[in-house]
Amino acid sequence: MNVAFFLISLGCYFGAVFCHLMNLINQRVWARQWGNLLTLSGFIFHTLALIVRLWHSGHIPIANLHESLSFFGWAIILFYLVLEYKYRIPSLGAFVLPLALVFVFSASMLPKEIQPLIPALQSMWLGIHTTTSFGGYATFAFAFVAGIMYLIQENQLRSKKIGLFYYRLPSLEVLDDLIHKSLVFGFPLLTIGIITGSLWANTAWGSYWSWDPKETWALITWFIYAALVHARFTIGWRGRKSAYLAIIGFCFVLFTFLGVNLLLKGLHSYA
Amino acid sequence: MEVIVFGLNHKTAPVEIREKLSFSKSQISYAHKECINSQIVQELMILSTCNRVELFAVVNSTEESVKALKEFLAKFHHISPQILDDVSYFYTQKEAIRHLFRVACSLDSMVIGEPQILGQLKEAYNQALEDRSIGSWLTELVERSFHVAKKIRTETGICKNAVSISFAAVELAKKIFDKIEGKSVLLVGAGEMSELAARHLLSNGVTNIYVANRTHERAEELARQFNGQVLPFASVKENLELMDIIITSTSAPHFLFNKEEVQKTLHRRKNRPLFFIDIAVPRNVDPAVSKCSDVYVYDIDDLQMVVNSNLLERQKEAKYAETIVERFVEQFWEKLNSRNVVPTIVELTQKFEAIRQQELKKAFSKLPNLSDAEREVISCLASAITKKMLHDPICLLKKKSNCSNTAYYIQAAKELFNLDGFKRP
């Protein structure tokens, strides 16, 4: 049941990405409307899939790689829908939805059966630690996408080669603001994610911090975003520089999330 | 009944002729009444702007009416009909509908997507309503054209991007700052173009305008106009950090702003973006300034380039708009034609019904002893026969209602069934 819902939502997301790319190319109002309708329906099915999965397994469905990727994609879509409803930033969907689709699609390639929760993960911390971490990751995905959009638009304005993107992308101010908002929202989430992880580690492994690769990389990521937030508030780091850092930061997020699981062995290898 | 357009526009006639043929408001009113009273046309609406003079009319016979309209126009404006032959066009039927829709959507304008034409069309329409020169056909057509224009405006980008240099500057400012309300603008030098750009910025919500000029009086005059403040020319550089948009247009032979100074200013304003609009020739802002990050420098050529690419963008959108217009033309054409067929179908069924009633009466008078049930059966039989006989002709008429030769089928039906009674031999 949950797999069926999940696959329906994946189909909707494919359609949504297609419509949003159409809208990016020819700016048709209907393409955007269809894109958002499909995103919303995909999101509803995805949410149902998560709820059914939670019901059947009895734990938060973020306990293996399929579940994490799926939840990551879900969180990005959730934030996108909120942003679209509140701010209607032009062409945001065409940039952020493909990213979400990549995660949801990779999730669909992995074994989707519900596995019994291994004893190490049976804790109330699981829910808090994973949702805050992935919430943080998802907001950083927006900083990343806004960073890319900023660099494209800035390049158009600076090189004075007025092209397709000049007309389609929002203003620099809006993009810079989106980077800023994502950081202000995502940074505390990541911080809480790390702190709860550390508290949980103390009860599960007997020590707050054990330099497990996941912990190390999460800390590096945290420092990057801390530097970005700090520089913004003190010396007015903004625009192109924050855009670059937001992109680099997200690469670290991806490595912390996927690279560590797939390449390095450590306490966090549950996938 | 047919819809026609007769007229001329900026593509077919030079301004010397257009100005001779243009109508003033009272002239339009007179012409409306004159043409309707003399029965040249059934309905009429005259649209007269600086780029076009067009007569939209509903007529009984196209050729006669076009000839009469041409003569009327020539006589009215005292020019020879031969000149009119060379510069005018006329469209009938579908082409006429398409032409009106394209005019309303500003697809036929000199600058594609300019918004004035719709207002002018509305004025012409109201005038025609006032003069009672417009009937149900034109009313419906013109109202429809307003609807199409609205649709095009919202669904395509033909009127989106700026096509003048001063508007392009405002648009660029919006691409950088998003909202320009509350931003500060500095005018250095007081040229006509910079004044225009400042005016557009003001109407887009900028409130703080500073003016610096070598001659103090001129600066004060401008500042008064914009409700702004005068900045002594010498103190421009110290106050640069307060500004967001700087419009330069002095005749200074050297650069007023160089990279090092701007870089310093940027530090002081925590890298908030600066936008230089350099309208002066020779330029007032060193091109190297644009190497600073978060600083954008547009000179007059850059602005022109933006305008050009905006025009290209509009043309692209216009192509899409044409397909939408075409869809509406087809729709309206079908409706008009089905309206052409409907009266014939009604006449046809009425005639058959009359025959049925008549024959039933005859039959019943010959068979007085029938029971009600028997009468009912016979009545139904007659009704079924007429219906079945009419079924195919009606279907054919409906099917043919949107081809080019509808009139031919209508005529055939009328003659075959003698619908016009004994008027026709």
Side-chain angles (χ1 to χ4, degrees):
Chain A
M1 187 71 158
N2 77 77
V3 175
F5 280 145
F6 175 76
L7 291 177
I8 294 173
S9 75
L10 181 65
C12 291
Y13 291 154
F14 263 111
V17 166
F18 177 76
C19 289
H20 274 282
L21 290 177
M22 283 284 287
N23 178 52
L24 179 69
I25 294 166
N26 59 22
Q27 285 194 296
R28 297 293 161 251
V29 180
W30 58 264
R32 184 177 180 144
Q33 285 163 348
W34 272 101
N36 282 339
L37 196 68
L38 281 168
T39 315
L40 184 65
S41 14
F43 178 75
I44 291 170
F45 279 109
H46 201 164
T47 313
L48 285 175
L50 293 179
I51 292 173
V52 172
R53 207 174 169 94
L54 172 71
W55 183 260
H56 281 305
S57 67
H59 62 84
I60 280 274
I62 321 179
N64 63 24
L65 194 56
H66 161 75
E67 291 176 346
S68 319
L69 281 167
S70 164
F71 183 80
F72 192 13
W74 180 84
I76 295 178
I77 304 272
L78 170 68
F79 292 151
Y80 166 73
L81 286 172
V82 173
L83 278 176
E84 182 69 9
Y85 180 72
K86 273 187 82 172
Y87 301 108
R88 295 195 70 82
I89 298 169
S91 301
L92 180 63
F95 283 82
V96 86
L97 291 179
L99 186 68
L101 181 65
V102 167
F103 294 127
V104 180
F105 182 70
S106 333
S108 76
M109 296 277 112
L110 292 164
K112 291 180 274 290
E113 297 78 41
I114 296 175
Q115 295 148 345
L117 199 59
I118 56 169
L121 292 180
Q122 287 169 2
S123 159
M124 61 132 182
W125 290 110
L126 174 68
I128 307 169
H129 172 61
T130 50
T131 46
T132 47
S133 303
F134 280 108
Y137 291 176
T139 40
F140 291 143
F142 280 88
F144 165 73
V145 165
I148 292 177
M149 289 166 83
Y150 185 95
L151 291 181
I152 296 174
Q153 181 67 293
E154 205 246 12
N155 184 48
Q156 298 255 313
L157 282 165
R158 184 167 295 281
S159 67
K160 294 164 189 167
K161 289 195 189 73
I162 302 299
L164 185 119
F165 288 114
Y166 167 79
Y167 296 109
R168 269 59 159 179
L169 292 187
S171 64
L172 294 179
E173 184 74 32
V174 162
L175 291 170
D176 191 58
D177 193 50
L178 182 56
I179 297 178
H180 176 68
K181 286 207 177 88
S182 316
L183 292 178
V184 168
F185 193 66
F187 186 65
L189 280 176
L190 181 66
T191 313
I192 297 172
I194 292 178
I195 292 172
T196 52
S198 154
L199 291 174
W200 185 12
N202 190 39
T203 56
W205 303 329
S207 126
Y208 286 106
W209 199 268
S210 41
W211 297 106
D212 159 66
K214 190 78 141 195
E215 290 174 354
T216 315
W217 281 94
L219 193 64
I220 297 174
T221 311
W222 186 86
F223 270 116
I224 290 179
Y225 284 109
L228 186 46
V229 172
H230 178 75
R232 186 172 188 103
F233 281 114
T234 52
I235 51 173
W237 257 43
R238 42 165 298 136
R240 195 152 44 158
K241 286 179 199 152
S242 354
Y244 277 124
L245 257 192
I247 293 169
I248 294 168
F250 191 67
C251 296
F252 277 87
V253 165
L254 284 185
F255 190 78
T256 310
F257 172 29
L258 296 170
V260 172
N261 280 23
L262 301 175
L263 303 175
L264 307 169
K265 285 273 163 247
L267 296 167
H268 261 88
S269 314
Y270 306 115
Chain B
M1 293 285 238
E2 230 175 277
V3 180
I4 62 160
V5 183
F6 169 73
L8 48 123
N9 66 13
H10 57 98
K11 286 175 198 156
T12 63
V15 65
E16 302 93 73
I17 295 181
R18 292 202 312 269
E19 66 190 3
K20 269 187 207 142
L21 287 164
S22 81
F23 287 84
S24 70
K25 201 168 178 250
S26 55
Q27 282 175 326
I28 288 182
S29 203
Y30 173 77
H32 275 155
K33 284 167 189 159
E34 187 66 25
C35 287
I36 296 294
N37 290 342
S38 59
Q39 298 263 305
I40 297 177
V41 293
Q42 309 303 308
E43 299 179 27
L44 179 69
M45 180 184 80
I46 299 176
L47 173 68
S48 172
T49 74
C50 45
N51 281 332
R52 61 182 71 244
V53 177
E54 283 174 341
L55 289 73
F56 297 88
V58 172
V59 298
N60 279 332
S61 133
T62 311
E63 267 164 51
E64 278 170 37
S65 297
V66 170
K67 210 168 143 229
L69 279 178
K70 205 179 279 179
E71 274 162 18
F72 172 80
L73 204 58
K75 219 169 94 193
F76 193 93
H77 289 293
H78 313 293
I79 68 164
S80 80
Q82 280 78 18
I83 297 179
L84 264 183
D85 278 339
D86 294 338
V87 298
S88 67
Y89 44 80
F90 79 91
Y91 299 111
T92 59
Q93 303 191 338
K94 223 180 194 171
E95 279 74 33
I97 300 168
R98 182 180 302 121
H99 184 76
L100 175 61
F101 285 3
R102 291 187 71 244
V103 168
C105 297
S106 191
L107 285 167
D108 199 48
S109 302
M110 194 128 80
V111 179
I112 293 172
E114 54 93 8
Q116 287 96 324
I117 184 66
L118 190 60
Q120 290 159 335
L121 194 59
K122 278 185 179 156
E123 232 168 75
Y125 175 58
N126 287 333
Q127 185 63 48
L129 280 179
E130 203 176 288
D131 300 336
R132 295 174 186 279
S133 67
I134 193 167
S136 63
W137 281 56
L138 268 189
T139 307
E140 199 177 339
L141 180 62
V142 178
E143 291 279 359
R144 193 71 188 156
S145 77
F146 295 156
H147 173 79
V148 178
K150 198 175 154 205
K151 195 100 178 158
I152 296 282
R153 197 165 289 264
T154 52
E155 285 196 2
T156 76
I158 58 163
C159 23
K160 247 187 209 155
N161 303 300
V163 287
S164 75
I165 285 184
S166 45
F167 266 121
V170 175
E171 218 175 68
L172 279 164
K174 282 186 176 169
K175 278 283 176 193
I176 296 169
F177 300 107
D178 199 53
K179 291 189 184 68
I180 54 176
E181 285 102 356
K183 298 283 179 239
S184 300
V185 178
L186 171 64
L187 295 184
V188 187
E192 200 181 317
M193 191 89 86
S194 58
E195 217 184 297
L196 202 58
R199 219 173 279 287
H200 289 325
L201 285 169
L202 260 181
S203 61
N204 276 278
V206 164
T207 42
N208 312 326
I209 292 201
Y210 299 86
V211 186
N213 197 39
R214 287 219 196 266
T215 52
H216 192 70
E217 292 73 34
R218 177 81 178 119
E220 279 204 324
E221 188 195 322
L222 266 185
R224 242 197 327 276
Q225 270 186 43
F226 297 137
N227 226 344
Q229 294 166 44
V230 178
L231 210 59
F233 202 80
S235 71
V236 160
K237 280 173 189 169
E238 290 106 80
N239 289 304
L240 197 58
E241 60 177 287
L242 301 175
M243 309 301 165
D244 300 295
I245 300 165
I246 298 112
I247 305 174
T248 57
S249 61
T250 71
S251 50
H254 55 270
F255 296 135
L256 294 177
F257 300 99
N258 64 39
K259 195 182 164 200
E260 288 70 38
E261 288 162 356
V262 172
Q263 192 74 59
K264 270 182 213 151
T265 310
L266 265 178
H267 280 301
R268 284 205 297 270
R269 50 187 276 122
K270 287 202 172 172
N271 298 319
R272 275 180 296 120
L274 267 177
F275 180 30
F276 285 94
I277 302 163
D278 187 2
I279 308 180
V281 179
R283 289 177 289 180
N284 287 163
V285 182
D286 186 349
V289 168
S290 66
K291 295 222 167 63
C292 308
S293 64
D294 300 310
V295 178
Y296 304 89
V297 183
Y298 276 71
D299 61 36
I300 190 93
D301 280 7
D302 298 331
L303 292 173
Q304 186 58 53
M305 185 270 312
V306 172
V307 167
N308 291 345
S309 74
N310 284 352
L311 279 172
L312 275 181
E313 189 71 12
R314 277 194 182 195
Q315 274 159 20
K316 249 191 265 165
E317 286 299 299
K319 275 196 195 124
Y320 174 58
E322 298 275 7
T323 63
I324 298 181
V325 166
E326 206 48 47
R327 220 171 56 217
F328 278 107
V329 171
E330 287 296 333
Q331 227 179 55
F332 194 82
W333 181 240
E334 253 172 51
K335 202 169 148 197
L336 265 192
N337 278 318
S338 65
R339 209 203 277 175
N340 269 340
V341 216
V342 167
T344 314
I345 292 174
V346 170
E347 282 170 33
L348 210 53
T349 40
Q350 274 170 355
K351 175 156 186 180
F352 272 62
E353 181 61 20
I355 294 174
R356 186 177 77 96
Q357 295 292 354
Q358 211 180 345
E359 295 305 314
L360 276 177
K361 217 191 244 169
K362 271 190 213 161
F364 289 150
S365 66
K366 282 178 193 157
L367 300 165
N369 302 326
L370 290 177
S371 70
D372 279 356
E374 284 162 333
R375 277 166 174 261
E376 184 64 31
V377 170
I378 291 172
S379 167
C380 282
L381 166 79
S383 157
I385 290 173
T386 51
K387 268 186 192 148
K388 292 229 161 106
M389 286 176 75
L390 273 178
H391 180 260
D392 285 333
I394 288 179
C395 280
L396 185 81
L397 277 175
K398 280 186 180 161
K399 207 169 83 191
K400 296 290 179 187
S401 71
N402 22 14
C403 353
S404 51
N405 50 1
T406 316
Y408 170 78
Y409 281 94
I410 292 174
Q411 196 57 38
K414 282 187 173 170
E415 285 188 25
L416 277 173
F417 294 101
N418 193 17
L419 293 179
D420 291 342
F422 297 102
K423 276 179 272 171
R424 206 175 290 273

